[in-house]
Amino acid sequence: MSLLEVRGLSVRFRAAHAVRGVDLDVGAGECLALVGESGSGKSVTARALLGLLPPTAEIAGRAVFDGIDLQITSGRRSPVVGSRLTTVFQDPMRALNPVLRIGDQITEVLRLHAGMSRAAARVRAEELLAAVGMADPGRRLRAYPHELSGGMRQRVCIAIAIACRPALVLADEPTTALDVTVQRQILDLVDELRRASGMAMVLITHDLAVVAGRADRVAVMRAGEIVESGPTRDVFTAPRHPYTAALLDAVPRIDGPRAAAVVEGSAVEGVR
Amino acid sequence: MTEPALRIEHLTVRYPLGGRRFAHAVTDVSLTVAPGEIVGLVGESGCGKSSVARSVMALRRPDAGRVLIGGVDVTALRGAALRRARRDFQMVFQDPRSSLNPHRTVRQILTEGLAIQRVPRPWDDQVDDVLRAVGLDPATYADRRPRQLSGGQCQRVAIARAVLLRPRLLVCDEPVSALDTTVSAQVLDLLRDVRDRYGVAILFIAHDLAVVRGLCDRVAVMYLGRICETGAVDEVLARPRHPYTRALLDAVPRLDGAVPAGEALRGDPASNVDPPSGCRFHPRCAYASPRCAAEEPVLAGEDEAVACHHPLAPVKAG
């Protein structure tokens, strides 16, 4: 049985039909990449599962996580969100509270979801910072987000996401705001954490090169629908949908042909 | 020899932090861009590449060194003379939406530069031509405002605004990092097209070597305020000699999923307030020797050069 099973997910914002009948399955410990352009509905899909969409969104469909119905149409956030099912956002500066020390932001999660005492949460927070590769974690707990580099901020966000040993992390463009060198560090870190803990992951990105060699399966979204899905290697070497092939051709290459191919038009316009 | 579109000579930029402390953003950087050439300036956040751009655009006076655009030292210009000279060098910013005035229509945005430069009217034909050149139909888009455009279309407008005055030099500071790969490919294609059509030189600032590889003729790699390697794109990216260039290359994710041989670059760059002694890269470098901590390597030459005591491949004999 899948860890996460999504059936017939649809999301509408007034006239815009952002997600149209999406089915997804994520097995325990599996890494699924959800790829597509801006406006393809990949972030809206994740937000619907997490209960983070505004009340104006009309949601239909069903999502079962670890045997629990997430009740995504209820407008309420499931209690597993934040502990067993967590997320990492694109922009770590906006994901963190700028006026709270990062130690307080990590211990908040532990106290709220794991019911830890202040002292125990502090010890665990320090362990978490060490686990995400922060040097001198004891001192870093007292830092504010603005005192950290972008890469370190994203490490803090990852520490918060894994604080309660989640079964699944939804990472929405976790490295898009970062430099390539830091991107590689963060992707390597996530791989390492996944291997160590066996957690599953949905990695949302527009950059196919990011998921190559890291995701087990890929689902390609366009205009609110999944147009192709399958094992990463198969989809990359023999894409069946012309849109997947076009996306692959648009990736700037460090090997192979120099100039990337141009995809005419955009997914966003397809929706309108 | 023809005058280069841009010649940066021994540029140094430092920001005062109070007391006697300074952030040494750019230290002794020299670089030339020939007419119609596209040169990539790459490095991580905080390496000083945007400070170079700001000095080239005469937005900040350098602490030392000169910037010559078409042979004119723009760092010596003031007031009206500087404003007239600005015609020759235009900029495209990273975030296409925030670099366009949200209250104005595309036509108003484009004509503002013409008004400032006192270009005689009528302007409509010029505006329509440049919009067509960047792939936007004037009848559809000229009267729209930025919020009615996609990110890629906004960047097209920003490029149209930059080339409308027929500058010698376009400075593009991470123009595609905020865009999707598909839209990014379109914008890069447009920049090549604009170079071919107008013969404009481009200083292209980026952190992604894969993007630089597809667009640029030459590349200069910056680390902590200094250029550590420069040369033809094909040469530098195929046979990097500086360990930092190698590390940057290894960081680029590959479509075949192959994991690069090298270790991921550890940690963040050192602080530019108190840069490391000797070679600024030595604390993160796998090949560092005692000499690297003691002696700063010199970037010999401007066309093909590496500033490293232990370059990865033998330096070609001159």
Side-chain angles (χ1 to χ4, degrees), chain A residues 111-128:
Chain A
R111 286 164 58 80
L112 200 67
H113 289 290
M116 282 189 178
S117 70
R118 193 179 294 273
R122 217 197 114 80
V123 172
R124 172 84 177 126
E126 199 171 324
E127 285 169 15
L128 283 164

Side-chain angles (χ1 to χ4, degrees), chain B residues 20-276:
Chain B
R20 294 228 179 116
R21 282 154 44 85
F22 291 93
H24 298 274
V26 181
T27 308
D28 194 20
V29 161
S30 297
L31 186 72
T32 56
V33 185
E37 191 182 30
I38 306 183
V39 175
L41 187 60
V42 299
E44 291 168 278
S45 300
C47 76
K49 53 196 198 295
S50 293
S51 289
V52 170
R54 291 176 59 81
S55 286
V56 169
M57 290 307 299
L59 295 172
R60 188 180 196 285
R61 201 150 292 144
D63 294 276
R66 301 199 302 165
V67 174
L68 294 100
I69 290 168
V72 177
D73 182 1
V74 295
T75 57
L77 297 177
R78 304 281 184 278
L82 176 60
R83 195 173 65 231
R84 275 195 301 278
R86 285 194 184 279
R87 242 194 122 132
D88 255 358
F89 49 102
Q90 295 286 319
M91 185 146 181
V92 176
F93 295 92
Q94 174 172 358
D95 183 347
R97 229 170 269 281
S98 66
S99 67
L100 302 177
N101 186 331
H103 300 292
R104 303 206 168 184
T105 64
V106 168
R107 187 178 298 281
Q108 287 168 337
I109 288 166
L110 293 178
T111 51
E112 196 169 2
L114 297 170
I116 291 168
Q117 294 297 341
R118 313 240 162 95
V119 175
R121 286 172 190 262
W123 296 330
D124 284 351
D125 286 350
Q126 294 178 55
V127 168
D128 289 357
D129 285 349
V130 80
L131 278 176
R132 274 189 286 267
V134 298
L136 296 174
D137 174 28
T140 313
Y141 293 102
D143 298 314
R144 290 203 188 177
R145 290 171 213 277
R147 65 163 186 278
Q148 297 165 305
L149 303 173
S150 70
Q153 288 166 342
C154 284
Q155 202 59 301
R156 285 172 191 271
V157 172
I159 292 169
R161 174 175 64 181
V163 297
L164 183 57
L165 291 161
R166 301 281 188 278
R168 286 170 195 270
L169 177 73
L170 211 55
V171 176
C172 301
D173 192 355
E174 302 263 14
V176 296
S177 349
L179 305 174
D180 270 5
T181 41
T182 44
V183 181
S184 159
Q186 293 168 10
V187 169
L188 294 173
D189 200 49
L190 173 62
L191 284 174
R192 251 188 307 269
D193 194 48
V194 154
R195 185 266 303 266
D196 296 344
R197 184 188 296 252
Y198 299 108
V200 64
I202 300 178
L203 180 64
F204 183 85
I205 294 173
H207 68 266
D208 186 346
L209 280 172
V211 167
V212 166
R213 181 169 179 263
L215 178 72
C216 300
D217 306 308
R218 282 195 303 124
V219 62
V221 181
M222 272 186 91
Y223 186 77
L224 266 187
R226 282 185 180 275
I227 290 178
C228 60
E229 179 163 10
T230 179
V233 162
D234 293 327
E235 191 58 32
V236 171
L237 301 193
R239 281 173 289 279
R241 287 180 289 162
H242 200 287
Y244 179 61
T245 314
R246 172 86 264 165
L248 273 185
L249 275 167
D250 286 346
V252 179
R254 283 157 202 258
L255 264 189
D256 59 10
V259 179
E263 272 277 283
L265 205 51
R266 291 283 155 199
D268 292 316
S271 159
N272 59 10
V273 177
D274 190 15

